[in-house]
Amino acid sequence: MAEDIPPLPTLSRRRAFNQNLISGIVLFFTVGIYLAVLGLGAGGGKPTSQRVSDISNSSLYGIYAVFGFFTGAILNILGPRLTMTIGVAGYPIYVAGFFYYDRTGHQWFPILGGILLGFSAPMLWSVSGFIQWAYAAEAEKGKYIAIQYFTNQVGSVIGSLVAFIIIYKGAMAAEGSPTSVYIAFICLMMIAFIFTIFGLVRPRDVRHSNGMAVAAFHTLSMKEEMIGVGRVLRDYRVLLMLEVIFSCELVLGILPSVNGRYFDLRTRGMNNVIFYLVQLPASVGCALLTDHLPFGRRMRGYMSVGILGVFVCAGWSALLIWVSVD
């Protein structure tokens, strides 16, 4: 009986909420800082670095798009802790590659960094998504997603602020980011290893606050995983959502290029801070839309997508007009 199971301490790692928070902290130190680097344009380097940055990011996302289909099976085999630890590893290498290129002009390291991150990033995201959906109760899914997204964006804001302050104090328009910016980013990313190695626990050990097990987890083989992926991709509802996903993710490829081409380094840093700062209240708003509107799940979904779609379309339209006029 549930009443015979002792509740877990508030700070216990085994609590589902705390596992989700730890996952969010990992995103803070990895994806959040990565987005701060990406948003600077040209990998944070000189404007002439933009071409190498585009090649690296194209390699990254091309590999990500294919390899991401297999990471669910890898997660089932290795478990969340090891899978996310491997996922973290690509981020400091990626930043180090652009630091190396900005100082030496040799392209191989940033391109290699993009390739390695293309393999590691989907492993990190698979674990974070697994924790969001598998550990949350039905009425908490929006909250769990918002917590991870919010902490991720806080990382981007902090990373952008660190870069902007350092750049503002000394970098000229034609220079790349100072060495201290790259060192700060790499050190912050390395902190994520502490949380994956010592923070995450096995899924079967995770409990709700009342001590009840979250769920019974079953490991699937690679074949079963791929069959499941194929089944999902044949679902018309998933296919309809792909357009929404593409429209939101395209910003990661286009805006850094725009920022790197049209602005000097100091202005790029300021744009970066503003871009991610605006997303903090947006993540809280998304949680309110998905969890607290006085309607059924389907209507909440329609309304949330519709409201967010208005903002996305308005943003892209404004960018198109600005670039066309310029």
Side-chain angles (χ1 to χ4, degrees):
M1 298 295 291
E3 57 267 24
D4 297 328
I5 302 175
L8 292 176
T10 302
L11 298 180
S12 172
R13 290 182 304 152
R14 296 170 59 204
R15 288 187 63 163
F17 180 87
N18 293 340
Q19 285 292 289
N20 188 67
L21 184 59
I22 290 170
S23 179
I25 294 172
V26 172
L27 294 180
F28 174 104
F29 286 111
T30 52
V31 181
I33 304 301
Y34 157 78
L35 290 175
V37 176
L38 188 69
L40 283 173
K46 304 177 182 69
T48 54
S49 303
Q50 187 61 53
R51 179 177 175 275
V52 175
S53 177
D54 291 340
I55 295 173
S56 176
N57 290 329
S58 296
S59 302
L60 191 167
Y61 290 111
I63 294 171
Y64 190 126
V66 176
F67 187 65
F69 288 111
F70 301 93
T71 52
I74 294 174
L75 170 59
N76 286 333
I77 295 171
L78 300 181
R81 178 187 295 164
L82 183 55
T83 304
M84 186 170 263
T85 299
I86 297 173
V88 167
Y91 287 90
I93 296 174
Y94 175 87
V95 176
F98 281 104
F99 176 46
Y100 175 82
Y101 174 74
D102 197 51
R103 298 303 184 267
T104 68
H106 298 155
Q107 300 181 11
W108 68 270
F109 197 175
I111 295 175
L112 176 63
I115 292 172
L116 294 178
L117 187 55
F119 284 109
S120 71
M123 299 177 72
L124 182 145
W125 279 113
S126 290
V127 177
S128 70
F130 168 76
I131 291 174
Q132 288 174 8
W133 289 99
Y135 293 178
E138 178 63 27
E140 296 179 322
K141 294 189 184 297
K143 180 175 72 174
Y144 273 44
I145 294 171
I147 287 172
Q148 289 204 25
Y149 189 82
F150 184 85
T151 52
N152 178 9
Q153 295 308 314
V154 170
S156 298
V157 171
I158 297 300
S160 300
L161 280 171
V162 169
F164 176 65
I165 291 170
I166 295 174
I167 289 169
Y168 186 80
K169 288 183 176 180
M172 300 303 292
E175 294 179 342
S177 296
T179 298
S180 52
V181 170
Y182 289 105
I183 292 176
F185 283 166
I186 292 172
C187 290
L188 287 171
M189 288 177 167
M190 296 296 289
I191 294 174
F193 284 112
I194 299 173
F195 289 93
T196 59
I197 295 172
F198 300 104
L200 296 179
V201 300
R202 295 173 297 183
R204 65 172 176 266
D205 294 331
V206 179
R207 298 289 186 270
H208 290 299
S209 58
N210 60 4
M212 294 291 293
V214 170
F217 297 97
H218 305 285
T219 300
L220 301 179
S221 66
M222 179 67 76
K223 179 180 178 180
E224 291 173 319
E225 188 74 28
M226 296 313 298
I227 291 174
V229 169
R231 187 180 300 115
V232 168
L233 290 178
R234 291 194 299 270
D235 189 325
Y236 75 94
R237 292 166 297 185
V238 174
L239 296 178
L240 289 174
M241 286 299 297
L242 289 180
E243 183 179 357
V244 178
I245 295 171
F246 290 155
S247 67
C248 295
E249 292 298 318
L250 281 172
V251 67
L252 298 180
I254 295 177
L255 281 192
S257 297
V258 172
N259 206 19
R261 177 178 178 181
Y262 290 97
F263 301 97
D264 62 35
L265 190 57
R266 284 178 177 148
T267 311
R268 283 154 56 188
M270 182 185 68
N271 290 344
N272 219 22
V273 173
I274 295 173
F275 178 77
Y276 293 115
L277 194 61
V278 170
Q279 296 187 45
L280 295 183
S283 62
V284 177
C286 288
L288 295 176
L289 287 174
T290 54
D291 286 349
H292 298 290
L293 286 176
F295 305 103
R297 180 197 293 180
R298 174 176 293 186
M299 181 57 64
R300 293 200 308 270
Y302 284 146
M303 294 184 67
S304 300
V305 171
I307 293 171
L308 296 175
V310 170
F311 284 99
V312 171
C313 291
W316 281 113
S317 299
L319 178 62
L320 177 60
I321 294 171
W322 182 76
V323 173
S324 300
V325 171
D326 185 81

